[in-house]
Amino acid sequence: MSHALRATVVLGLCALLVGGVLMSAARAAGVSEAYPPTGAFIEVNGNRLHYMQTGAADGPPVLILHGASGNLHEGRVALEAELGEYRAIWLDRPGLGWSERPGGRWSPQREADLIAAFLQSVEAEGAVVMGHSWGAAIALRLAMDHPDTASGLVLIAPASRAWVGEAALYNRATRWPMIGTVITRLIVPTIGRSRLEDGARSAFAPEPMPENYVEETRLPLILRASNWKANSADMSRVNLHLADQETRYGEIGQPAVIIAGPQDSVVRTDRHAEPTAQTLQNAELVLIEGAGHNPHHHHADEVVAALDRVLAQLP
């Protein structure tokens, strides 16, 4: 191959890559425009956090933490109506949805510190914390490190023990130099949307995914580069994070109810929910036959009943 031909091929490939990146950037901008912030922003320790409050302003405060890849609407869509008598606080976890995440290596400890400061800022110290999946791991950390801030726990399909499974390759690769940029700026915006519905449907199995789930929960926000990178940073180190904190669960004395489905194919109930219920000082385990990884959508009544049992134990 001549030098001229070789240069032409390289230029052509560069043009294709630049064109692809520009098209992907347009798609990412479209996601932001299609799913703008719907709540309020508050600055906490120099970080802008996005949240919503619904229900009774004078009701018992309940903080709801969504899981990996999600945002505050994931829980809100399932539970807002059922939590009308409570002061329900829906938070985009730092780095997800429209909330900022501080720089540096992130960890559940740092996240719990920031969320504790957030609860102080919105005058909701002593809230019951409800966490789903990875949000449950953060709720547990909050209960350990800031017991005065989290008065009780409702954990839904919790990811709480090490060895959730090896982090998917794309999560690890997102952190690699150059390759990570290609993933977040080109691949994710281009093909990510087509994979969201299949992934969500799989998480609900064996129960059906609710109609319009992807749109109503604003799940495509995960395709924004900042959100994808934050989520990948969490999931690429998920086992290390959980190994670091699971030995401390015996310190947690707040009342807790853990809700899980024995057929959960995302986070094994016998490896996470069941041993965690045995380790906490004051925990009740509720197993829902036929439920998958998102029982709060099809069994909201069980979630509210669990919350009421936790509240009944508070001073």
Side-chain angles (χ1 to χ4, degrees):
M1 182 182 295
S2 67
H3 290 296
L5 180 57
R6 194 177 297 121
T8 300
V9 170
V10 171
L11 288 173
L13 291 174
C14 289
L16 286 173
L17 180 59
V18 170
V21 169
L22 291 175
M23 290 179 62
S24 298
R27 291 191 185 98
V31 168
S32 297
E33 293 172 2
Y35 307 102
T38 55
F41 286 95
I42 186 171
E43 186 168 309
V44 180
N45 295 344
N47 303 282
R48 199 165 178 246
L49 301 181
H50 179 243
Y51 72 105
M52 291 180 66
Q53 295 192 83
T54 63
D58 59 350
V62 182
L63 172 68
I64 301 93
L65 299 178
H66 63 84
S69 302
N71 58 76
L72 66 82
H73 294 285
E74 204 289 323
R76 184 196 60 76
V77 167
L79 297 168
E80 179 179 0
E82 284 72 16
L83 295 180
E85 298 180 3
Y86 311 84
R87 181 190 172 193
I89 305 167
W90 316 87
L91 175 67
D92 277 340
R93 288 180 32 247
L96 281 298
W98 287 96
S99 287
E100 293 179 346
R101 174 176 291 189
R105 176 164 286 191
W106 197 240
S107 67
Q109 179 182 2
R110 291 188 66 195
E111 185 158 337
D113 291 345
L114 185 56
I115 292 175
F118 163 76
L119 287 172
Q120 293 172 357
S121 296
V122 298
E123 299 182 348
E125 290 179 279
V128 172
V129 182
M130 183 180 297
H132 171 233
S133 192
W134 183 241
I138 304 303
L140 285 162
R141 190 81 201 199
L142 192 63
M144 290 189 297
D145 293 351
H146 302 275
D148 293 337
T149 299
S151 63
L153 298 171
V154 177
L155 308 177
I156 304 169
S160 53
R161 298 275 176 170
W163 304 112
V164 174
E166 286 298 323
L169 177 61
Y170 55 77
N171 283 321
R172 298 198 303 272
T174 296
R175 306 178 67 201
W176 297 345
M178 297 183 64
I179 293 176
T181 301
V182 172
I183 291 174
T184 57
R185 301 291 182 181
L186 181 60
I187 297 176
V188 170
T190 301
I191 68 172
R193 184 64 179 263
S194 65
R195 304 292 178 87
L196 290 179
E197 189 158 331
D198 288 343
R201 185 175 290 107
S202 176
F204 271 95
E207 294 183 307
M209 181 179 72
E211 187 176 357
N212 297 323
Y213 172 81
V214 171
E215 286 298 310
E216 290 185 1
T217 62
R218 299 178 168 235
L219 190 57
L221 282 171
I222 191 59
L223 303 179
R224 298 168 69 228
S226 60
N227 292 24
W228 185 272
K229 288 191 288 187
N231 190 69
S232 295
D234 291 339
M235 294 300 99
S236 64
R237 295 175 53 83
V238 62
N239 292 314
L240 294 175
H241 290 319
L242 291 174
D244 179 60
Q245 71 180 47
E246 67 177 6
T247 58
R248 294 184 54 204
Y249 292 159
E251 300 173 15
I252 298 175
Q254 297 95 315
V257 177
I258 302 176
I259 299 172
Q263 294 173 271
D264 187 337
S265 61
V266 178
V267 177
R268 283 181 51 178
T269 296
D270 62 346
R271 186 173 291 180
H272 294 267
E274 293 180 7
T276 300
Q278 295 170 0
T279 304
L280 300 181
Q281 295 178 31
N282 182 16
E284 172 192 350
L285 177 64
V286 177
L287 297 179
I288 302 177
E289 288 297 331
H293 190 57
N294 299 319
H296 49 303
H297 284 269
H298 290 292
H299 307 279
D301 56 336
E302 292 276 11
V303 175
V304 176
L307 172 60
D308 286 339
R309 291 199 298 277
V310 169
L311 287 168
Q313 297 182 61
L314 301 184

